[in-house]
Amino acid sequence: MNRPVKHPIPGVGVVVLRTGANGVEVLLVRRAKPPRENTWSIPGGKQEWGETLQDAAQREVMEETGLTVEILGLVDVLDLIASPDMHYSLIDFAARPVGGTLRAGSDAADARWVPVADLGDYALWSETDRIITLAVRKFSP
């Protein structure tokens, strides 16, 4: 009997950075859907067929937050294996906002700018925290 072949799902995450009144701020969304539903994270999601990684990153930020961004560069690549049936390979970018109006969009229950100094208040996944720290070090505005 042939079993269906499983493959990781490619996804993107975007650390959007800006300088605010309280220093460097990062854009966070509260996820409205699994995986990690109701938790705070960076904008991101699945790459669509025929879409470049950077186009996927820009689309996901727009869909979840209403903002357009300029991609600054690659931060890191990691795996999220949420269950035996859920494996994402995540490609994380840093970006800066260039337009739009902040609002919670399709897959987000909330979206807000958070000072980097206040990230401890948001119970981020350890990998999200690591990616943000790395992005701030490499791409801080």
Side-chain angles (χ1 to χ4, degrees):
M1 178 188 329
N2 288 338
R3 288 184 176 171
V5 177
K6 294 182 180 181
H7 298 283
I9 299 166
V12 295
V14 188
V15 181
V16 184
L17 301 169
R18 74 173 189 182
T19 302
N22 296 314
V24 177
E25 296 177 335
V26 64
L27 182 60
L28 293 184
V29 295
R30 189 164 47 86
R31 299 235 163 263
K33 299 178 182 178
R36 308 194 62 78
E37 184 176 5
N38 291 318
T39 63
W40 289 95
S41 189
I42 56 176
K46 295 177 190 173
Q47 180 184 21
E48 295 178 357
W49 183 261
E51 184 177 52
T52 69
L53 289 167
Q54 291 192 4
D55 287 346
Q58 290 172 315
R59 175 186 51 76
E60 285 290 344
V61 173
M62 172 56 79
E63 287 177 1
E64 293 183 5
T65 72
L67 298 178
T68 56
V69 296
E70 174 188 4
I71 301 295
L72 300 173
L74 178 68
V75 177
D76 203 0
V77 177
L78 62 120
D79 289 294
L80 169 58
I81 302 173
S83 73
D85 295 319
M86 188 180 296
H87 178 175
Y88 292 96
S89 293
L90 303 174
I91 300 93
D92 291 313
F93 293 96
R96 68 179 186 90
V98 294
T101 301
L102 182 60
R103 54 140 181 86
S106 61
D107 292 343
D110 195 359
R112 63 178 68 162
W113 290 106
V114 176
V116 170
D118 295 343
L119 288 174
D121 298 338
Y122 288 81
L124 299 174
W125 177 38
S126 60
E127 282 296 296
T128 301
D129 190 51
R130 184 184 70 80
I131 292 296
I132 292 170
T133 299
L134 187 56
V136 168
R137 248 189 276 140
K138 290 173 74 171
F139 299 101
S140 191

